[in-house]
Amino acid sequence: MYLKRLEMENFKSFKGEVVVPYERGFTAITGPNGSGKSNCGDAIQFVLGYKSAKDVRASNVLDLLFNGGKNNKPAKFCKVSLIFDNPEDSDGSRRLKIDADEVHFTRTVRKTRSGSASSNYYLNGTSCRKRDVTDVFLGTGLGPRSYAIIEQGMISQ
Ligand code: ATP
Ligand code: MG
């Protein structure tokens, strides 16, 4: 089981759709300061279900919508999907207890007319609770606060 693709739409600095293919052999994203490297990690934690928006360097979930910068309109909707490879082991079991070779976890946020945020989670395209996403990762070692994700500054801390 491994994360093979990250798909983002209007998440933080990423305008429109952006796909990061974390295929086998992938080691690093490089780029200048402020180019969105850490935002990719934030996108992963966004889907896994962080405890506080501060964990993804935002004061509130609406700060995660692409803000339009200087030349574009601010987005009213954002969507991030994590696509995991989930093959059958030799004994027929799978690391993620979902009977599919590929598992898609998706979270969306919509800014409502009244200006509040509406958040939804999906498992392989079907609407689910945040709790259902957490449950699938139980026992795999992956979660928003697990050592599978080491943030900038955490190593020296
Ligand atoms: P460094 O090398 O300094 O760690 P980085 O590549 O990790 O940089 P990020 O922290 O991922 O950079 O990206 C920061 C950029 O994301 C900033 O330019 C910030 O303005 C932009 N950004 C953050 N939130 C939003 C948003 N909601 N809409 C548009 N841009 C955003
Ligand atoms: Mg960074």
Side-chain angles (χ1 to χ4, degrees), residues 12-13 32-39 57 63 65-67 152:
K12 284 200 158 189
S13 54
N33 296 134
S35 60
K37 304 180 298 290
S38 296
N39 290 345
R57 305 174 303 147
D63 289 346
L65 299 177
F66 172 64
N67 65 21
Q152 206 163 324

Side-chain angles (χ1 to χ4, degrees), residues 26-128:
F26 185 101
T27 46
I29 300 176
T30 62
N33 296 134
S35 60
K37 304 180 298 290
S38 296
N39 290 345
C40 294
D42 293 342
I44 295 171
Q45 297 206 59
F46 169 71
V47 180
L48 294 178
Y50 54 72
K51 284 239 163 56
S52 152
K54 288 198 186 73
D55 294 341
V56 289
R57 305 174 303 147
S59 55
N60 126 11
V61 73
L62 291 174
D63 289 346
L64 301 176
L65 299 177
F66 172 64
N67 65 21
K70 286 191 189 120
N71 302 315
N72 296 279
K73 276 208 249 170
K76 293 196 173 99
F77 175 78
C78 81
K79 175 177 174 181
V80 178
S81 296
L82 307 183
I83 291 100
F84 283 86
D85 191 56
N86 188 39
E88 263 188 21
D89 290 337
S90 49
D91 65 357
S93 69
R94 298 181 195 270
R95 281 296 288 282
L96 298 172
K97 303 300 173 209
I98 304 266
D99 193 22
D101 290 335
E102 210 175 66
V103 183
H104 293 231
F105 297 92
T106 302
R107 181 176 178 188
T108 62
V109 169
R110 187 179 300 281
K111 188 176 181 181
T112 65
R113 281 198 189 163
S114 63
S116 62
S118 154
S119 181
N120 286 292
Y121 289 84
Y122 302 85
L123 232 171
N124 278 353
T126 304
S127 181
C128 69

Side-chain angles (χ1 to χ4, degrees), residues 118-145:
S118 154
S119 181
N120 286 292
Y121 289 84
Y122 302 85
L123 232 171
N124 278 353
T126 304
S127 181
C128 69
R129 300 167 305 172
K130 175 179 178 180
R131 173 80 201 275
D132 298 319
V133 173
T134 318
D135 283 355
V136 173
F137 286 111
L138 274 182
T140 64
L142 181 58
R145 304 302 300 163

